[in-house]
Amino acid sequence: MQKKTKIGLWIAGGVVVVGGAALAFGPAVYADYANGKTDAAPTIAATTPSSTDAATSAAVNADDLSGTWSIGADSFAGYRVDEVLQGKDVTVTGRSSDVTGDLTVDALSLTAATITVDVASIATDESARDAYFRDTAMEVGEFPTATFTLTEPVTLEAPVAGVAQTVSATGDLTLHGVTTSVTVELQAALTDTGGQVVGTIPITFSDYGVEAPDLGFVSVEDTGSIEFSLNVTQN
């Protein structure tokens, strides 16, 4: 059984920085500052055709989509977690662009996909927090990557360029050496350069051998989410 590692994604050195800032400037001021640093949730960047005629003309032949696809530039993955700092809510996000993977498409069905994230490269706006996250919390020396592997095919409707579709995908998420089955709601759209897929996976830290801490002046929720935005190109 995976031993639990008592962490918050930003305690130890990181929490001293956060706590000191809150004491120096006041929790409300610091909360406003910290929340201003929070990254927006990933969204589809593709534009929607402005008329029915435009949408019809942009229809794509499903057979042309068959084959393998790879994750391309400007993709990212990371986490979003809430903490309570002296009674004030603060949301923290970490991001990494070191995301790789391959997808297999058969007409309108996604039949296979494996996505890998380099956990050590996930970063926030606090280097001390990131060091603790890498070395103590996620133990990247032993568990360097997080992986999502699709376990059930996903079928979409006939695509229209620039129009997002929402689907559910089931797969195995491996994080901190623990693998669980998860279902994630995805949005996908074809773009000028290939396609974009965005989604959020809710997680409970204790499911992955991670116990969220409560240090009195700062506590971390036991639940959070993994977020990603993937730009994919056909091979």
Side-chain angles (χ1 to χ4, degrees), residues 28-40 80 89-93 125:
V29 173
Y30 180 78
D32 288 343
Y33 167 79
N35 286 326
K37 295 287 187 177
T38 302
D39 291 306
R80 179 181 300 268
D89 295 331
V90 176
T91 299
V92 176
T93 53
D125 61 329

Side-chain angles (χ1 to χ4, degrees), residues 7 14 21 23 26 44 61 70-72 82 102 120 122 127-128 149 161 166 171 181 199 209 216 232 235:
I7 70 157
L23 292 174
I44 291 289
N61 185 340
S70 297
I71 295 175
D82 294 328
D102 296 292
I122 296 175
S127 60
T149 303
T166 301
S181 178
V232 296
N235 297 331

Side-chain angles (χ1 to χ4, degrees), residues 122-145:
I122 296 175
T124 67
D125 61 329
E126 291 286 353
S127 60
R129 175 196 293 144
D130 297 338
Y132 187 83
F133 171 77
R134 291 191 304 267
D135 301 331
T136 304
M138 302 310 294
E139 300 176 292
V140 297
E142 186 175 359
F143 311 112
T145 61

Side-chain angles (χ1 to χ4, degrees), residues 38-44 76 80 93 95 198 200 227-229:
T38 302
D39 291 306
T43 58
I44 291 289
F76 69 82
R80 179 181 300 268
T93 53
R95 294 283 186 263
V198 304
T200 300
E227 300 178 333
F228 55 88
S229 175

Side-chain angles (χ1 to χ4, degrees), residues 67-204:
T68 59
W69 295 64
S70 297
I71 295 175
D74 299 323
S75 298
F76 69 82
Y79 65 81
R80 179 181 300 268
V81 183
D82 294 328
E83 68 181 15
V84 179
L85 180 64
Q86 294 187 335
K88 299 299 180 180
D89 295 331
V90 176
T91 299
V92 176
T93 53
R95 294 283 186 263
S96 171
S97 60
D98 195 343
V99 185
T100 58
D102 296 292
L103 302 84
T104 302
V105 176
D106 183 6
L108 295 179
S109 294
L110 175 65
T111 59
T114 300
I115 313 300
T116 301
V117 181
D118 175 30
V119 177
S121 64
I122 296 175
T124 67
D125 61 329
E126 291 286 353
S127 60
R129 175 196 293 144
D130 297 338
Y132 187 83
F133 171 77
R134 291 191 304 267
D135 301 331
T136 304
M138 302 310 294
E139 300 176 292
V140 297
E142 186 175 359
F143 311 112
T145 61
T147 304
F148 175 82
T149 303
L150 187 72
T151 55
E152 299 179 12
V154 176
T155 300
L156 287 80
E157 299 175 356
V160 174
V163 178
Q165 296 186 42
T166 301
V167 296
S168 293
T170 299
D172 289 336
L173 175 65
T174 300
L175 182 67
H176 194 231
V178 178
T179 300
T180 63
S181 178
V182 298
T183 298
V184 54
E185 186 173 273
L186 304 173
Q187 281 197 311
L190 293 175
T191 65
D192 292 340
T193 58
Q196 184 187 10
V197 181
V198 304
T200 300
I201 305 175
I203 62 169
T204 300

